[in-house]
Amino acid sequence: MQRRHVLGACTLLLATGWLAGCSNPHYLQLDPKRTAQVPQSGSGQEVTVTAVDGRDSDVIGTRTGSAMSTAVITVDAHELVPRLQTEAERALREMGFTPTTEQAKGRPSLTLTLDHLGYERGKSRPVIDEARIESVLIAEATNDGNTYTGTYTSRRTQSYAMRPGKKANTRMVNELLSDGLDRAFRDPELGRLLAR
């Protein structure tokens, strides 16, 4: 009899722990990295580069997929934007330009905007659920009165039997943003316009 009470108590504790884990918010500290080769376009020209967050909120979704859930997933703009800035500067350097954050009249410029970052629940099947994540980066290059705007969307659908933890979510969103950076800086039109 006592054994049954102990097993019942253990089951209750495990269930409570599991539910508490599901309702915990996730604050993702991201560090996306561009890995793709970039086209050689520049010959040392200075380019003003700025990374900005164009999202309405730091909350990118919830772990449960419910809008009313307390298990929110947050990506802080103040932490992410400097990392996007660093990657944009590194890409321009490898393209042959000299990146700077200072504005100057007549100098070519590039603005990299995180326009959207979303995490939602996908299709639900017996035993298996899905997480759908999406990012949209916009790169706007201007030079001598001309503008080129590229929009780079990355999507990922991840199936799971157990809801992803913070570490898995961080990895997935990092990979998604890294793919967006690769797409943006592989675009030869950006370099062509900046090099004019």
Side-chain angles (χ1 to χ4, degrees):
M1 188 74 167
Q2 191 173 8
R3 186 175 175 195
R4 189 179 305 156
H5 285 304
V6 171
L7 284 174
C10 287
T11 303
L12 181 63
L13 280 172
L14 284 171
T16 303
W18 182 79
L19 288 171
C22 289
S23 64
N24 284 345
H26 281 181
Y27 298 92
L28 306 186
Q29 294 177 301
L30 304 177
D31 192 17
K33 299 289 184 189
R34 178 191 51 81
T35 57
Q37 293 293 314
V38 293
Q40 290 294 309
S41 312
S43 52
Q45 305 100 310
E46 282 196 335
V47 174
T48 300
V49 59
T50 310
V52 296
D53 185 6
R55 299 174 299 155
D56 295 330
S57 169
D58 286 346
V59 174
I60 65 171
T62 66
R63 296 178 62 206
T64 62
S66 166
M68 301 301 289
S69 173
T70 59
V72 295
I73 303 174
T74 302
V75 173
D76 192 312
H78 297 296
E79 292 182 4
L80 180 57
V81 169
R83 288 168 170 80
L84 294 177
Q85 177 78 26
T86 298
E87 286 303 294
E89 290 176 12
R90 183 169 72 91
L92 286 175
R93 219 172 276 114
E94 291 178 17
M95 291 166 76
F97 298 103
T98 303
T100 177
T101 56
E102 294 175 9
Q103 302 284 338
K105 189 175 180 181
R107 178 186 294 154
S109 68
L110 175 70
T111 302
L112 181 69
T113 303
L114 176 60
D115 189 60
H116 172 71
L117 185 59
Y119 186 111
E120 61 184 32
R121 189 174 182 179
K123 291 179 182 175
S124 186
R125 300 181 301 258
V127 189
I128 300 291
D129 278 326
E130 280 183 355
R132 288 185 183 170
I133 51 177
E134 179 181 85
S135 73
V136 179
L137 290 172
I138 298 175
E140 183 178 84
T142 60
N143 189 5
D144 196 25
N146 298 300
T147 301
Y148 173 77
T149 303
T151 301
Y152 313 93
T153 302
S154 298
R155 294 184 182 94
R156 176 173 178 167
T157 301
Q158 180 68 48
S159 298
Y160 58 86
M162 290 184 63
R163 192 167 286 134
K166 182 178 177 181
K167 188 175 179 181
N169 282 329
T170 299
R171 178 179 47 78
M172 287 192 295
V173 179
N174 259 333
E175 288 172 358
L176 192 80
L177 287 171
S178 297
D179 179 69
L181 289 169
D182 284 347
R183 288 170 185 257
F185 290 104
R186 260 195 329 239
D187 186 345
E189 292 302 321
L190 284 179
R192 282 195 195 113
L193 185 78
L194 294 172
R196 278 186 187 176

